[in-house]
Amino acid sequence: MTKAVIIYGGNTRKSRLKGLLDRAEKFLSANHFEFETIYVHELPAEDLISANFNSESIIEANAKVAAADVIIIVTPTYKASYSGILKTYLDLLPQKGFEGKTVLPLVLGGSFGHLLVIEYALKPVLSALGARLILKGAFVLDTQVEYAESGQFLIHLQAEERLGQVLQVLQEEESRCLPSIHK
């Protein structure tokens, strides 16, 4: 069974970013991935800000990443980049913490003017962490995710199709690599 970790770089579980997380978790469940989610904003702030590599919470989160075959990064766009919350955690990963892993970025932003945040801000960091494969990812406008009265998030059709496509590519890549990764 393929193991995945979702790293959630938002600052609350109530933002529209959670809609992307929910969609990713639903896909992983439906496709029999074993997965966990790391909510970076729920890790001890002092440990993140002071770069406490010896923090029990950070060591535990890093162990989840180390055990995973797939990493899904979920982040909002702030100032044309990924969130600072996410950055504080990525800085605490080992130098090659993503080595041998497939990484899928899912990004929420306010305008398509920030569409290149994946290519120019996020991918260089993911590459430096040694990712085996960085998939194209998906950029979703925050206006394409709505909070419903039921407590769920509704993703507009166009964004849902993009998310479905990149998640399907993730499934196909992992199916292709399964024999070599899980020997």
Side-chain angles (χ1 to χ4, degrees):
M1 181 176 283
T2 302
K3 292 183 180 181
V5 167
I6 302 172
I7 301 175
Y8 183 81
N11 62 1
T12 178
R13 290 185 186 218
K14 295 181 181 178
S15 78
R16 288 181 259 193
L17 183 66
K18 178 83 165 47
L20 301 186
L21 173 70
D22 291 349
R23 178 62 176 91
E25 288 181 339
K26 181 179 175 183
F27 179 87
L28 294 175
S29 290
N31 288 281
H32 310 291
F33 283 75
E34 180 181 322
F35 71 93
E36 296 183 77
T37 301
I38 298 169
Y39 292 90
V40 178
H41 73 282
E42 294 177 1
L43 294 172
E46 172 104 11
D47 294 340
L48 290 167
I49 296 300
S50 65
N52 182 1
F53 290 90
N54 296 317
S55 161
E56 217 174 282
S57 296
I58 300 300
I59 291 169
E60 182 180 310
N62 288 353
K64 292 175 184 177
V65 171
D69 307 301
V70 170
I71 309 293
I72 298 177
I73 303 288
V74 181
T75 183
T77 303
Y78 294 132
K79 310 289 187 211
S81 188
Y82 54 93
S83 72
I85 293 168
L86 178 61
K87 176 71 166 127
T88 61
Y89 177 65
L90 294 178
D91 286 347
L92 290 169
L93 284 166
Q95 185 174 359
K96 293 294 181 184
F98 288 169
E99 191 166 46
K101 301 180 187 317
T102 300
V103 181
L104 175 65
L106 302 178
V107 178
L108 186 74
S111 82
F112 279 122
H114 297 292
L115 181 64
L116 295 177
V117 67
I118 294 173
E119 290 297 321
Y120 293 109
L122 198 50
K123 278 191 177 180
V125 174
L126 303 176
S127 179
L129 286 167
R132 174 183 66 83
L133 175 63
I134 303 169
L135 298 175
K136 182 179 176 186
F139 182 91
V140 175
L141 289 175
D142 58 6
T143 57
Q144 294 177 314
V145 181
E146 295 179 37
Y147 186 74
E149 289 182 23
S150 64
Q152 303 296 311
F153 291 89
L154 302 174
I155 300 174
H156 293 206
L157 182 61
Q158 185 183 28
E160 174 61 39
E161 288 173 353
R162 274 197 316 281
L163 289 167
Q165 288 170 356
V166 299
L167 288 164
Q168 188 59 44
V169 169
L170 172 68
Q171 173 70 24
E172 291 165 5
E173 284 297 327
E174 284 310 297
S175 293
R176 190 173 302 128
C177 297
L178 195 60
S180 63
I181 289 178
H182 303 288
K183 283 184 178 178

